[in-house]
Amino acid sequence: MTSPVSQNAVASAVDGPASGTVADWPLTFERHLFGAVCFDTHGCSVRYDGREHGTTADTPPVSSLPPGRFDALMIARYGDLPNFPGPAQLRWRAKDGAELTAEVDLGEIFGDSLIRHEVPREDIAEGVSMGFTHVLIEVNDRTVNVYTRTLIPTKREQVPGNKHSQFRDDLIKVHSRSY
């Protein structure tokens, strides 16, 4: 299942070279960071761009995080990768012991290169570059979710009185499949 793209991320086509600012409406990305997390699995391997992410086969299962901790954990730490070096290869055992494999084609999921976000165009700061786009895979028991987040500079503080809060970096689910 793929979620619909936010209306804020869809507009007219980009003409000319990208500046990395709101002038490039709709917002797109050409490079990304990658990360993977695994919950309620016995061992979990996520191979992407020739590198292992996740946990080893002997690692005991990690339960899902309590509310509020998940968003903070979903940060990509690997990359400055071109879009997209190939599909992610997943291998894990579900809580019930079933051995599962999957291939997640991020190039297909993000084929339009649109930055998914929830910030209205008129609230995005002019002339300021967007942050790196994070592409994240979560393996949770028998479900694989793909998320994205990009730091979007805003004209106003998102936390009133905090001058360092002039941005949004919402975690957006873009794909989900159960096995």
Side-chain angles (χ1 to χ4, degrees), residues 34-50:
F34 180 79
V37 295
C38 302
F39 301 108
D40 287 333
T41 63
H42 297 273
C44 178
S45 169
V46 177
R47 188 164 187 75
Y48 183 67
D49 190 42

Side-chain angles (χ1 to χ4, degrees), residues 93-153:
R93 273 190 301 133
K95 283 194 311 186
D96 64 9
E99 302 228 3
L100 301 167
T101 62
E103 183 174 276
V104 178
D105 188 344
L106 298 173
E108 181 180 317
I109 293 169
F110 294 101
D112 57 12
S113 297
L114 288 176
I115 293 175
R116 276 62 169 186
H117 63 90
E118 296 297 330
V119 184
R121 183 176 186 179
E122 62 272 11
D123 291 348
I124 299 175
E126 300 286 336
V128 179
S129 294
M130 302 302 128
F132 272 107
T133 292
H134 295 227
V135 174
L136 305 137
I137 292 178
E138 172 203 16
V139 180
N140 192 334
D141 189 23
R142 290 180 162 273
T143 302
V144 174
N145 296 308
V146 178
Y147 297 87
T148 186
R149 71 182 332 146
T150 304
L151 189 139
I152 308 286

Side-chain angles (χ1 to χ4, degrees), residues 70-82:
F70 182 76
D71 188 72
L73 182 64
M74 296 300 282
I75 303 292
R77 291 181 172 84
Y78 174 68
D80 184 2
L81 303 168

